[in-house]
Amino acid sequence: MEQFQHYIGGAFSEGTARFESRNPATGEVWAMMPEAQAEDVNAAVEAAHAAFRSPDWAGLSATARGKLLYRLADLIAENAEVLARLETRDTGKIIRETSAQVAYVAEYYRYYAGLADKIEGAHLPIDKPDMEVWLRREPVGVVAAIVPWNSQLFLSAVKIGPALAAGCTMVLKASEDGPAPMLEFARIFDRAGFPPGVLNVVTGFGSDCGAVLTSHPKVSHVAFTGGPGTARAVVRNSAENLASTSLELGGKSPFIVFADADLDSAVNAQVSGIFAATGQSCVAGSRLLVEHAIKDAFLERLKDKAEAVVIGPPDDMSTEVGPLCTRAQVDRAADLVARSVAMGARLVTGGQALDRAGTYFPPTIVDCTDTPDAPCLTEEVFGPVLSVQSFETEAEAVELANATEYGLASGVFTRDLTRAHRMVRAIDAGIVWINTYRAVSPIAPFGGHGLSGHGREGGLQAALDYTKVKSVWLRTSDDPIPDPFVMR
Ligand code: TXE
């Protein structure tokens, strides 16, 4: 049985309690994880707080912080295979994706390494002749980062990269479902040469460890990825300390196909949009909106592709759809589909958990054209379940696309350039992909609004969001200060 440890103040520890981690492909317990209790979380926040004030970190130049991040990026690239294998083993995410994704995670760290000494202040053309006024950008302080199971190395990179580039220190809580890749990441981080306490990694359950972390008085910002229900609890917790928050909460993203689209591309992109990562993706294109004239033909091609998908063990390079991370996710997907079908939605393919060891759920398509209230159409499934609706006009496509409380991503497939531009304006989402889907880069901001949260990860803006602005006023005149009872 493998054993994992917490990383607090630059040292590894067993933690005060432990819990079992299951391999989703087999259902077997394969590792023991440390379960952070309040005392562990407090120790981690204290370590981050001390590091934030220590000259070893606070006194480093931004360029030196960047060099440490470059070293971390190199170590991630060197250890990508180990990290990918652990992520696959502990979460069920297929090795085909984890190996490509971890290699790309190193690029996120490189991007923020390069950005560290480009986070600039400003000089203001102030309206007073005897004053110089400039702005300093300073790190916000201790950041609490919370990630879910689905892409932890990636979802943590978009928090750790910009926060450390800005000069913050952090406590990261890995998901209790599949924490192994993050705890291994801590071992790699330890070798990069950062001062102790700059990053602390713990894992444990949300209701105790997560709640203590997000309400801690020494935490200045909470960066959270997870579901909207948990986000509300996190925001309530952070109100204790009036900490700022950035929330990335998933979505119910529309994937819109017009009749003039390149249908080969659209079908493949839709398969990628909903079945890749076994649908456990915040940007999953989970609502297909297809122009009525091509609906039947498009659905037929999609059904063929869905049924030809290779379902299998996640550590096999030929597998395309692996298990869901937990039994709870399988039950949730099955329940949402069953309730939708009971309301009159038409099951096109899939729909039931596979009768084999592990937590497997097949690619599923549900035609909800006549059931706009079907729960698999309105709720985030976080599994390989695609809901379908059709439209006759562009205006109807926009109306259906925006008929959601989420606002994260969207896809538009059309060859009509002017229509594509109109759709960009009309769609209410943080990301619009045109004739492509599920493309990401460290250079492009990522995030949504409404139930999808707020704040952006990726890009320059993310690093700025980990800073606070200080206005500095310098009087340049040697004359006595005039009337003290008048504001200057
Ligand atoms: O996520 P949670 P769950 C959606 C998706 C999924 C649903 C529930 O629809 O089916 O949310 O998933 C920590 N204080 N997404 O319940 O609870 C928890 O320990 C502080 C979308 O697994 O949001 C874990 O580390 N932290 C999504 C993290 O929050 C708390 C990704 C996420 O868990 C806490 C995941 C608390 N009170 C789920 N309670 C996306 N955006 O990609 C829990 N946590």
Side-chain angles (χ1 to χ4, degrees):
M1 183 87 61
E2 293 211 30
Q3 305 286 331
F4 288 83
Q5 295 178 310
H6 283 152
Y7 181 58
I8 299 173
F12 294 92
S13 61
E14 296 291 316
T16 36
R18 302 186 71 69
F19 67 98
E20 297 175 335
S21 202
R22 285 178 191 279
N23 178 343
T26 61
E28 285 162 10
V29 176
W30 75 281
M32 294 301 293
M33 303 296 171
E35 183 187 333
Q37 309 291 299
E39 61 203 88
D40 303 305
V41 174
N42 287 333
V45 177
E46 289 299 339
H49 191 247
F52 186 70
R53 297 179 159 200
S54 84
D56 290 349
W57 180 247
L60 275 188
S61 68
T63 310
R65 289 200 305 270
K67 283 184 180 158
L68 288 171
L69 283 165
Y70 274 124
R71 171 88 185 113
L72 175 61
D74 290 346
L75 284 167
I76 291 168
E78 281 163 29
N79 291 278
E81 203 186 315
V82 169
L83 288 168
R85 261 194 286 113
L86 278 174
E87 184 157 40
T88 291
R89 185 151 192 202
D90 212 16
T91 69
K93 193 174 169 78
I94 61 171
I95 192 76
R96 211 154 135 176
E97 170 137 302
T98 54
S99 40
Q101 199 176 58
V102 177
Y104 200 39
V105 158
E107 296 307 317
Y108 276 77
Y109 284 101
R110 288 204 176 98
Y111 175 82
Y112 285 108
L115 201 61
D117 56 9
K118 285 141 203 104
I119 300 170
E120 297 174 350
H123 182 267
L124 305 187
I126 205 72
D127 55 345
K128 300 176 198 309
D130 61 344
M131 297 280 189
E132 289 289 332
V133 177
W134 68 95
L135 304 182
R136 288 170 50 81
R137 278 200 178 268
E138 299 182 352
V140 286
V142 175
V143 173
I146 299 201
V147 289
W149 75 85
N150 57 318
S151 278
Q152 288 182 77
L153 291 163
F154 173 72
L155 296 171
S156 57
V158 293
K159 298 173 177 58
I160 298 170
L164 298 194
C168 297
T169 59
M170 305 183 84
V171 177
L172 181 129
K173 190 193 94 56
S175 174
E176 62 272 41
D177 298 317
M182 287 320 301
L183 299 175
E184 180 64 24
F185 169 87
R187 290 185 206 170
I188 291 165
F189 181 90
D190 187 60
R191 289 158 48 201
F194 287 86
V198 166
L199 173 72
N200 306 273
V201 182
V202 299
T203 188
F205 295 88
S207 48
D208 38 27
C209 149
V212 173
L213 177 58
T214 50
S215 56
H216 199 291
K218 288 186 176 160
V219 165
S220 300
H221 180 85
V222 180
F224 173 81
T225 302
T230 313
R232 289 191 183 99
V234 163
V235 170
R236 276 193 292 272
N237 291 342
S238 65
E240 280 296 315
N241 187 33
L242 299 180
S244 54
T245 55
S246 45
L247 308 171
E248 203 274 272
L249 312 178
K252 199 68 206 174
S253 301
F255 186 105
I256 306 162
V257 184
F258 287 94
D260 68 346
D262 172 346
L263 297 188
D264 291 335
S265 270
V267 169
N268 265 348
Q270 177 65 91
V271 167
S272 156
I274 187 62
F275 302 138
T278 317
Q280 299 166 106
S281 167
C282 47
V283 293
S286 53
R287 290 188 295 138
L288 167 62
L289 310 179
V290 57
E291 190 164 339
H292 185 73
I294 58 161
K295 180 185 170 193
D296 290 345
F298 194 79
L299 263 191
E300 204 174 304
R301 291 169 72 165
L302 206 53
K303 177 175 185 282
D304 288 348
K305 288 254 182 194
E307 291 175 351
V309 157
V310 180
I311 304 174
D315 57 357
D316 186 327
M317 261 319 229
S318 63
T319 294
E320 295 170 331
V321 165
L324 288 166
C325 184
T326 60
R327 176 61 52 194
Q329 284 302 119
V330 173
D331 294 344
R332 175 177 167 79
D335 174 62
L336 289 170
V337 173
R339 284 197 282 134
S340 302
V341 171
M343 284 173 74
R346 183 175 69 86
L347 189 62
V348 178
T349 187
Q352 283 186 345
L354 297 186
D355 186 16
R356 61 164 87 166
T359 42
Y360 289 90
F361 195 87
T364 295
I365 302 174
V366 187
D367 186 347
C368 297
T369 303
D370 300 323
T371 51
D373 297 325
C376 73
L377 178 67
T378 57
E379 292 180 38
E380 187 181 35
V381 181
F382 225 57
V385 177
L386 178 68
S387 306
V388 183
Q389 289 178 292
S390 61
F391 61 87
E392 300 275 1
T393 63
E394 191 179 305
E396 206 185 333
V398 170
E399 198 182 317
L400 290 174
N402 291 340
T404 172
E405 290 177 282
Y406 287 97
L408 182 55
S410 57
V412 178
F413 277 75
T414 179
R415 285 192 169 103
D416 182 336
L417 188 63
T418 52
R419 170 155 61 201
H421 278 277
R422 287 194 301 272
M423 294 300 284
V424 167
R425 287 186 200 170
I427 292 174
D428 205 7
I431 303 166
V432 184
W433 283 301
I434 298 163
N435 295 332
T436 185
Y437 204 82
R438 211 167 172 259
V440 292
S441 162
I443 301 162
F446 182 102
H449 53 253
L451 278 195
S452 296
H454 57 244
R456 291 292 178 269
E457 298 192 311
L460 171 62
Q461 186 59 44
L464 298 182
D465 287 350
Y466 287 101
T467 66
K468 57 191 178 200
V469 169
K470 181 179 278 175
S471 306
V472 186
W473 293 71
L474 172 76
R475 185 161 176 255
T476 54
S477 166
D478 291 330
D479 296 342
I481 289 186
D483 186 352
F485 297 102
V486 175
M487 198 182 209
R488 288 218 62 205

